[in-house]
Amino acid sequence: MALVTTKEMFDKAYAEGYAVGAFNVDSVDIMQGVIDGAVRAQSPVILAVSGRMLDDVPYIVQACKLAAHDNAIPVALHLDHGKSVKLCKRCVDAGFTSVMIDASLYDFDTNVRLTREVVDYAHSCGVVVESELGVVSGKEEDIVVAGKYGQFTRPSDVVEFVSSTGLDSLAIAIGTCHGAYKYKAGEQPYLRFDILDEIADKLPNFPLVLHGASSIPKERLDIFNCYGGKLPQAIGIPEDMLRQAAAKAVCKINVASDLRICYFGELRRQFALKPNKWDAKEFFLPARQAVADLVYDRLVNVMGSANKA
Ligand code: 13P
């Protein structure tokens, strides 16, 4: 199947109360693991590539196209956190089917202007656009947004933002956070479902997006830390909260940290278990398999998108 946009994925997800998983693919074997998991779950899937990867690994775009072509599930190729109009246009030209312009750190009018410029270009090429309103805190794309600078999305802004930009999906800030540390030890996890509901009421049938939505599964974190990794007391978003969001207007849930912990934890374990091996397959295949298992679990038990391909 050729790469598709997220339009039909989101229409179906909204109508049927589940979310489409968007997984950051930092290497070709991580991407293959994501595809393996999605094929097993028979789920639609979004391969998210960050702008930083495009310079380092241009092959990944071709690999994503090939993966979509070889499998009978809907696959979208998405630019995650495009920090400039130029980068978004470059990705549209390169064959991405979805781009995110992230101008959320600018003031409202600048965010509108930059988003509009990307929308005009992308739509003329049949590509869809995501943008963010409010600020999700944490670390992504080497930019750190400290907790106090993260801002919840203001429901009063959303109608004007959507109508003046013409964008296709809106990333909102309701308490999720990029990276492995969403909450401090002892802190009670929370998401502002009241804000989500208010936004959904103002934007009927409009797909919303959750960034910073890894749940940092304990068994994978334990492997990572047990074999030399150092992420003590990392805490993610509880899975039941993500499922609750997916049943509402959230149609896309972004996962990057879970994959990284899973992939590098498994690599660390394989290196420790096989000190006398040097065949790449000995290490990278089990790590890819671990990613596939994690993605399968997320799609079935968190997104609720099994058999929705
Ligand atoms: P996590 O760090 O929670 O995986 O979030 C990833 C993300 O939102 C990528 O855009």
Side-chain angles (χ1 to χ4, degrees), residues 2-6 9 44-48 64 68 73-78 96-98:
L3 289 167
V4 296
T5 74
T6 53
M9 288 182 184
V45 72
I46 299 169
L47 301 174
C64 290
I73 54 167
V75 179
L77 176 55
H78 173 76
F96 280 63
T97 54
S98 171

Side-chain angles (χ1 to χ4, degrees), residues 6 11 20 24 26 34 49 89 99 111 121 134 139 146 154-155 208-209 243 248 271-272 280 283 306:
T6 53
D11 286 349
V20 181
N24 284 64
D26 294 350
V34 171
V49 179
K89 288 183 175 177
V99 291
N111 193 354
Y121 189 81
K139 181 174 185 295
R154 291 200 327 217
L208 304 177
V209 175
R243 271 198 301 275
K248 295 172 180 266
F271 289 142
F283 305 105

Side-chain angles (χ1 to χ4, degrees), residues 24 80-81 140 177-179 182 211-214 254-257:
N24 284 64
D80 191 32
H81 291 283
E140 183 62 33
C177 168
H178 291 118
K182 320 286 193 193
H211 281 249
S214 278
N254 285 15
V255 175
S257 299

